[in-house]
Amino acid sequence: MQFPESWLREFCNPPLTTAQLAETLTMAGLEVEELQPVAPPFTRIVVGEIKEAVQHPNADRLRVCQVDAGQGALLNIVCGAPNARVGIKIPCALVGAELPPGADGKPFSIKLGKLRGVESQGMLCSARELQISEDSAGLLELPLDAPVGQDIRQYLKLDDTLLTLKLTPNLAHCLSVYGIARELSALTGAPLLQPEFPAVSVGIPDQLPVAVQAPDLCGRFSGRIVRNVNTRAATPQWMVDKLARCGQRSVSPLVDISNYVMFELGRPSHIFDLDKIHGGLQVRWGQPGEQLKLLNGNTVTVDAQVGVIADEHQVESLAGIMGGDATAVSDDTRHIYIEAAFWWPKAIAGRSRRYNFSTDAGHRFERGVDPAHTVEHIERITQLVLEICGTPDTVVGPIDDQQTTLPERSAVTLRVARCAKVLGMAVTQQQCAAALRGLGLPVQEGDGVLTVTPPSYRFDLTIEEDLIEEVARMVGYKHLPTTPPLAPITAKLRAENRRSAFAVRRQLAALGYQETINFSFVDERWERELAGNAQPIKLLNPIASQMGVMRSSLLGSLLQVLKFNVDRRAERVRVFELGRVFLRDATVPNSDTTVQGFDQPMRVAGLAFGPADSLQWGRKEQAVDFFDLKGDVEALLSPFKAQFEPATHPAMHPGRCARVSLDGKAIGFVGELHPQWRQSWELPQAPIVFELELDAVLQRNVPQLKTVPKHQPVQRDVAVVVAEQVSHAQLMAAIESAVAPEMLRQAVLFDVYRPKPVKGAEVAPATGLAVGEKSLAVRLTLGSGEATLTEAEIEAAVAAVVAKLVEQTGARLRV
């Protein structure tokens, strides 16, 4: 809310500077967001009157004016404004005056000079040149009673400050200058000027029939007829200035009066053209299909959720929001109907936003406007109408005041001890009572208890905490003590045998993957196809139809990212995600971090698609395969050695999928996407994917000191023939069980040989390998920390390896 400081001081004028005033309001919860001067600095500009204006002899667009500026002699000033004429009063900058800075930031000085050969002894100014408005059409015309020679700053009251307040929704009683003055009086103890509303003399008995048909929409409706008004009258300059400084432009005298009272007292009202109303008025809820053309030119369609004011033929106004164009006042209006009402906040809230606009009236009514003073405020509006638009024939009718249901104000109790505990400071009962009474609240005192019945304009006082807040505001937030926390602060250190999720991200990024972040809400089809989840956790209110369930796997999200990139001609995609999945688990209890019946573990998943390498020349291009991603998983889990065993997964190829285990515990899967889902997603080739439990990935070994072996190791190669179904894992398990760990430093499979089949032969010639057999060559690295191995020890170790291979895998030495 914006308003001028001078208007506020008309109601309450404490001995504070502008900065102190803003600080006082801010520390009471009325945040002053901005302080802005009404006009920038300028000097030696006075009220002048044009006594003569003749055409410039050497310029068609210039005039030579004789100006009375109160200097004793007329000033000869050359002016190019189109409205420069005899008899008007305007701002006149004398020689030596400094105008506000221009675009270059430098003040503009007025000097004695010549324009096209004619001497000019000053300058006549527009409002834009004084930077008090954007109007640059001509000279700023002042009222004819403006005193010649008076400083323009003094005459226009330009030494003023605009205050912009950022009010919270509970401070509806401060949406007026008088409401803020009431708060300021309570804060400073300065006297408050109480507005008076003398009753206007009633001259006619005319009343407009009004039927309030919706008590849940309108609790009170007041109105009066005024006849024979002059709507062509000019709005007084003082009112135009005040409205402008509140951010409201002048429209017409009747509209300006209504807006002025709204800013002054917080009461939105409406003035109808009486002759355009057919019969009486009905205050009711809208009917489906009814339409209304508003004052802003928009045509809206109402329904049973929107309140309206209607006559016998049509809807005339949106209740509490905006009037209609059909009954708007104009220059031809002679008779008017003034309306002021109390609209229930819940009946107004959100209605204007349905039509994509907001109004000052709706902003106030949806927060709560005082229902007790509709009659008094109509008297105030009537008084201004008579002063500005009145004629000798103007007559006023009686006020028709209908009350249906008004808010019931329930008493609220404040316990002084509770107030002190919440505020964290000692407050006495006398302090609390004085703070509340200063706000104009009726207080009844008991033993350690205060009871307040909120006045009609305080919609925000409903519970004890509301009264505690009022005490805090009056005491001053800056006086509340600063109490450091008493609880010990202990840093939460990560265990040394775990790494952070950020480290996992960094490692995957180093492997060439890019991180993606996706919604936890997914398509139900993904859960059935990719996770084999027939009963996913469904959302009660999904944000989209294709995001109706909680995911139990990250693979669907990664495939969606892949599909998005492939559709845009991406040839190589490597992405990963760290995210939470959601599983049904009856063993999960309800706590601060868990929801009963639902497990929410973190997982890490990755996807690789396209060539194994980025574009390069070093080796032949080949598509990424299972072993590429298997290597990435091993690197991610290093230094732990993961075990891979054939398995099945709903999303993966039945023969190209492996279960990943650590220390015998399954932690995830790696494999190629199932051909069925590859076809369903319309992918040109099958991506390779993995998904692991994040907790297992975060594990790491605590570094331990190991001495560098002093004795040189030896290497021996062993080639054995085994059946095709013998796996690498079985081979290595047999070798590691044959030799003591301190002797076997490393065992590496370095060759796999399968003979080309010969038609009709069961044994390949020259190799001795039968159909269904393969040759595996392993290099053993042996050593001892105590001494160099002897030949006998080496042969014994190799013999033990061969014997164990024969025993566990059915191998035979290849000769």
Side-chain angles (χ1 to χ4, degrees):
M1 178 182 172
Q2 178 181 298
F3 59 91
E5 179 186 353
S6 58
W7 197 0
L8 177 64
R9 291 187 182 273
E10 290 178 12
F11 289 105
C12 180
N13 189 14
L16 302 174
T17 65
T18 300
Q20 291 171 335
L21 177 66
E23 175 70 11
T24 300
L25 292 175
T26 299
M27 295 311 298
L30 309 177
E31 180 184 353
V32 178
E33 193 173 29
E34 184 180 9
L35 291 174
Q36 183 180 359
V38 169
F42 54 78
T43 58
R44 291 183 60 78
I45 300 178
V46 299
V47 177
E49 181 180 359
I50 300 178
K51 295 294 187 179
E52 180 183 330
V54 297
Q55 186 68 39
H56 193 289
N58 301 320
D60 294 338
R61 295 187 179 182
L62 297 179
R63 293 185 181 184
V64 180
C65 302
Q66 299 297 315
V67 181
D68 181 6
Q71 304 299 305
L74 297 181
L75 301 178
N76 192 71
I77 298 178
V78 179
C79 178
N83 63 334
R85 63 188 186 277
V86 174
I88 64 171
K89 292 185 176 180
I90 36 73
C92 176
L94 305 176
V95 173
E98 283 196 354
L99 270 65
D104 59 357
K106 298 179 180 180
F108 182 71
S109 299
I110 304 300
K111 300 177 181 178
L112 186 66
K114 288 186 178 182
L115 290 175
R116 295 291 183 93
V118 177
E119 185 178 60
S120 184
Q121 300 170 331
M123 175 180 172
L124 306 183
C125 304
S126 67
R128 187 170 186 176
E129 288 166 337
L130 299 181
Q131 296 186 17
I132 58 178
S133 82
E134 293 300 319
D135 183 12
S136 60
L139 301 177
L140 173 61
E141 297 189 25
L142 303 175
L144 296 179
D145 60 354
V148 172
Q150 185 177 8
D151 189 288
I152 202 72
R153 297 190 72 91
Q154 181 182 354
Y155 177 72
L156 293 180
K157 299 180 180 178
L158 299 181
D159 293 319
D160 198 356
T161 303
L162 300 181
L163 284 78
T164 302
L165 267 60
K166 186 177 181 181
L167 299 175
T168 51
N170 64 312
L171 296 176
H173 59 286
C174 295
L175 287 170
S176 66
V177 177
Y178 175 72
I180 297 169
R182 186 169 49 203
E183 293 282 309
L184 185 60
S185 176
L187 291 166
T188 62
L192 176 68
L193 175 64
Q194 297 287 348
E196 296 182 358
F197 309 102
V200 176
S201 176
V202 174
I204 55 174
D206 299 359
Q207 287 188 335
L208 182 69
V210 177
V212 180
Q213 300 175 1
D216 55 340
L217 167 65
C218 179
R220 186 176 186 179
F221 193 95
S222 306
R224 122 177 309 164
I225 291 174
V226 181
R227 295 190 180 275
N228 303 319
V229 297
N230 176 22
T231 56
R232 297 178 185 269
T235 304
Q237 190 62 40
W238 61 266
M239 182 177 287
V240 173
D241 291 342
K242 284 186 175 179
L243 289 174
R245 293 172 188 181
C246 290
Q248 178 68 51
R249 66 180 180 88
S250 176
V251 179
S252 65
L254 292 176
V255 175
D256 292 346
I257 289 170
S258 177
N259 288 333
Y260 179 84
V261 173
M262 178 180 68
F263 287 117
E264 180 186 44
L265 303 173
R267 167 71 59 191
S269 60
H270 189 61
I271 300 179
F272 295 85
D273 187 326
L274 183 63
D275 293 332
K276 297 178 182 178
I277 298 176
H278 305 91
L281 293 179
Q282 304 169 6
V283 181
R284 58 174 173 80
W285 293 105
Q287 297 173 2
E290 288 185 318
Q291 290 189 329
L292 168 66
K293 184 178 180 182
L294 298 170
L295 290 173
N296 62 5
N298 295 344
T299 299
V300 298
T301 302
V302 302
D303 55 28
Q305 302 299 318
V306 179
V308 299
I309 301 176
D311 61 15
E312 294 180 356
H313 291 175
Q314 61 186 358
V315 175
E316 302 293 0
S317 175
L318 280 183
I321 299 174
M322 184 180 287
D325 182 69
T327 55
V329 294
S330 65
D331 289 346
D332 299 324
T333 299
R334 292 185 61 243
H335 312 304
I336 61 173
Y337 180 73
I338 305 171
E339 166 263 314
F342 166 68
W343 307 100
W344 287 97
K346 290 184 179 180
I348 305 300
R351 269 52 173 196
S352 61
R353 287 185 288 277
R354 294 177 58 178
Y355 303 112
N356 297 320
F357 67 86
S358 61
T359 63
D360 287 329
H363 181 78
R364 285 163 172 79
F365 278 124
E366 67 185 5
R367 285 160 173 76
V369 175
D370 185 3
H373 297 291
T374 57
V375 171
E376 290 83 350
H377 293 170
I378 286 182
E379 293 287 4
R380 172 62 169 157
I381 295 171
T382 306
Q383 175 193 1
L384 292 172
V385 169
L386 294 178
E387 289 179 4
I388 298 171
C389 302
T391 69
D393 298 327
T394 302
V395 288
V396 176
I399 294 178
D400 175 27
D401 183 29
Q402 299 186 44
Q403 300 184 29
T404 55
T405 54
L406 296 180
E408 296 182 1
R409 312 306 292 169
S410 302
V412 183
T413 299
L414 170 65
R415 295 165 291 173
V416 177
R418 170 69 176 166
C419 179
K421 182 177 180 180
V422 171
L423 297 182
M425 65 180 292
V427 290
T428 65
Q429 183 166 328
Q430 289 74 19
Q431 285 178 301
C432 295
L436 297 176
R437 287 196 178 101
L439 288 166
L441 306 179
V443 179
Q444 293 182 353
E445 297 192 46
D447 186 12
V449 173
L450 303 177
T451 303
V452 174
T453 301
S456 57
Y457 58 86
R458 294 301 299 267
F459 286 80
D460 58 317
L461 302 181
T462 56
I463 59 177
E464 184 178 25
E465 281 69 17
D466 296 330
L467 296 182
I468 295 175
E469 180 183 1
E470 296 304 292
V471 172
R473 291 200 308 119
M474 292 301 105
V475 171
Y477 291 125
K478 63 183 178 182
H479 294 136
L480 296 179
T482 301
T483 306
L486 300 178
I489 300 177
T490 305
K492 187 176 181 181
L493 300 177
R494 187 172 57 251
E496 194 177 358
N497 63 346
R498 291 181 65 83
R499 55 180 169 172
S500 67
F502 182 74
V504 175
R505 291 184 172 95
R506 289 288 300 271
Q507 186 171 357
L508 282 168
L511 290 171
Y513 292 81
Q514 292 183 328
E515 184 177 10
T516 65
I517 301 175
N518 301 286
F519 280 110
S520 296
F521 318 135
V522 297
D523 192 336
E524 187 173 356
R525 179 177 66 89
W526 299 0
E527 285 296 297
R528 293 196 309 269
E529 295 178 356
L530 302 175
N533 187 2
Q535 292 184 330
I537 302 170
K538 294 186 177 182
L539 298 173
L540 296 178
N541 186 25
I543 60 177
S545 59
Q546 72 275 16
M547 304 173 75
V549 300
M550 304 298 290
R551 65 184 179 184
S552 63
S553 171
L554 304 181
L555 297 181
S557 301
L558 294 182
L559 285 173
Q560 182 187 36
V561 173
L562 172 63
K563 177 65 175 172
F564 181 88
N565 283 272
V566 168
D567 288 346
R568 285 153 183 79
R569 302 180 65 86
E571 297 181 354
R572 186 175 187 270
V573 178
R574 284 177 176 252
V575 291
F576 78 94
E577 181 180 5
L578 264 73
R580 198 172 297 279
V581 297
F582 303 85
L583 312 170
R584 298 184 185 275
D585 188 346
T587 63
V588 177
N590 199 18
S591 70
D592 293 340
T593 58
T594 60
V595 178
Q596 185 174 3
F598 299 97
D599 188 18
Q600 306 175 53
M602 292 287 292
R603 288 186 183 171
V604 54
L607 176 148
F609 171 87
D613 302 309
S614 299
L615 189 62
Q616 46 82 41
W617 57 268
R619 63 176 184 169
K620 185 177 180 182
E621 181 179 304
Q622 61 182 22
V624 66
D625 61 15
F626 172 88
F627 296 101
D628 291 315
L629 234 66
K630 177 175 178 286
D632 290 342
V633 170
E634 289 178 328
L636 188 63
L637 296 174
S638 178
F640 292 109
K641 291 185 178 180
Q643 295 82 44
F644 298 84
E645 55 184 355
T648 58
H649 187 281
M652 300 181 190
H653 193 299
R656 300 175 183 176
C657 169
R659 180 183 292 108
V660 185
S661 301
L662 275 181
D663 298 328
K665 179 184 176 183
I667 63 168
F669 292 87
V670 59
E672 182 181 301
L673 184 67
H674 197 292
Q676 180 180 352
W677 309 140
R678 171 193 166 187
Q679 183 178 5
S680 173
W681 288 73
E682 299 179 350
L683 299 174
Q685 67 185 68
I688 315 299
V689 296
F690 71 85
E691 184 172 17
L692 307 173
E693 295 179 5
L694 183 61
D695 281 344
V697 178
L698 297 181
Q699 297 179 32
R700 67 176 182 181
N701 283 329
V702 177
Q704 295 181 348
L705 175 64
K706 287 186 177 180
T707 59
V708 177
K710 296 180 181 181
H711 305 283
Q712 186 174 359
V714 295
Q715 294 180 338
R716 291 290 185 272
D717 293 344
V718 177
V720 293
V721 177
V722 296
E724 184 64 42
Q725 63 268 22
V726 175
S727 67
H728 171 266
Q730 292 173 315
L731 184 75
M732 290 300 154
I735 293 174
E736 290 171 358
S737 64
V739 184
E742 56 271 16
M743 178 178 288
L744 180 64
R745 295 185 180 177
Q746 190 177 38
V748 178
L749 175 69
F750 67 90
D751 182 62
V752 178
Y753 174 74
R754 294 182 178 88
K756 293 182 179 180
V758 178
K759 187 175 181 180
E762 294 185 359
V763 178
T767 64
L769 270 65
V771 175
E773 291 183 331
K774 60 184 176 181
S775 171
L776 302 178
V778 180
R779 176 161 295 170
L780 306 176
T781 302
L782 305 173
S784 173
E786 298 178 355
T788 302
L789 292 177
T790 63
E791 190 64 29
E793 291 173 328
I794 295 172
E795 293 299 330
V798 171
V801 167
V802 173
K804 189 63 72 172
L805 288 173
V806 171
E807 176 186 346
Q808 294 189 3
T809 66
R812 68 176 187 275
L813 273 176
R814 182 181 175 189
V815 294

